[in-house]
Amino acid sequence: MCIFCKILSGEIPSYKIYEDEHTYAFLDIADDYEGHTLVIPKEHYENSLDVPVEILKKVIATTQKVAQHYVNNCGYTGVNIMNANGVDAEQSVFHLHYHILPRKHDDGRKSWVDYPKINSDMSALCEKLRIK
């Protein structure tokens, strides 16, 4: 059983922010951003690539609901919403989850790495990636 399933079963305590029939939102104990929140489905799916679209819609709706609450009612001026899918994308817990990072003006936090340009052949890349 994964750590998020253990949280859902009550085996591991959590700081619940929101819960409905299909989803659960709770504070990330990493405590690296004020209000860092995780949103998960109550059913176990590894990530966004294997979850049925109807469940994914519910997770995204809860993510939006919590993010809007933070901006509209809690004094934050923005949020970063992040998700990783697979080992090479740095997914560390293999239960679908979205991170909500509440933000304030001049909070001193940086969410995006400033990578140098890699000079891709954009035409070839587009041809490789295009859905046909």
Side-chain angles (χ1 to χ4, degrees), residues 7-8 14-27 37-42 58-67 69-70 100:
I7 288 171
L8 288 168
S14 65
Y15 295 95
K16 178 172 72 172
I17 299 298
Y18 175 81
E19 180 177 15
D20 63 25
E21 181 182 348
H22 302 284
T23 63
Y24 189 74
F26 58 101
L27 292 178
T37 301
L38 301 173
V39 178
I40 63 173
K42 288 187 171 178
K58 292 172 183 357
V59 174
I60 293 298
T62 294
T63 301
Q64 182 185 47
K65 180 181 189 114
V66 173
H69 170 68
Y70 288 174
I100 302 172

Side-chain angles (χ1 to χ4, degrees), residues 54-118:
E54 290 307 313
I55 300 295
L56 183 59
K57 287 178 185 179
K58 292 172 183 357
V59 174
I60 293 298
T62 294
T63 301
Q64 182 185 47
K65 180 181 189 114
V66 173
Q68 287 174 335
H69 170 68
Y70 288 174
V71 170
N72 295 333
N73 303 310
C74 299
Y76 297 99
T77 55
V79 296
N80 290 106
I81 296 173
M82 305 172 109
N83 169 256
N85 296 278
V87 173
D88 292 332
E90 300 178 53
Q91 183 178 0
S92 59
V93 176
F94 293 90
H95 183 123
L96 171 63
H97 61 286
Y98 284 82
H99 298 258
I100 302 172
L101 306 176
R103 303 299 301 272
K104 292 181 180 178
H105 180 70
D106 292 334
D107 61 11
R109 305 307 307 239
K110 194 101 168 107
S111 295
W112 301 106
V113 177
D114 189 16
Y115 293 111
K117 189 172 177 131
I118 60 173

Side-chain angles (χ1 to χ4, degrees), residues 33-52:
Y33 271 78
E34 180 181 285
H36 183 166
T37 301
L38 301 173
V39 178
I40 63 173
K42 288 187 171 178
E43 296 177 57
H44 182 90
Y45 296 98
E46 187 168 299
N47 58 42
S48 298
L49 304 176
D50 74 338
V51 65

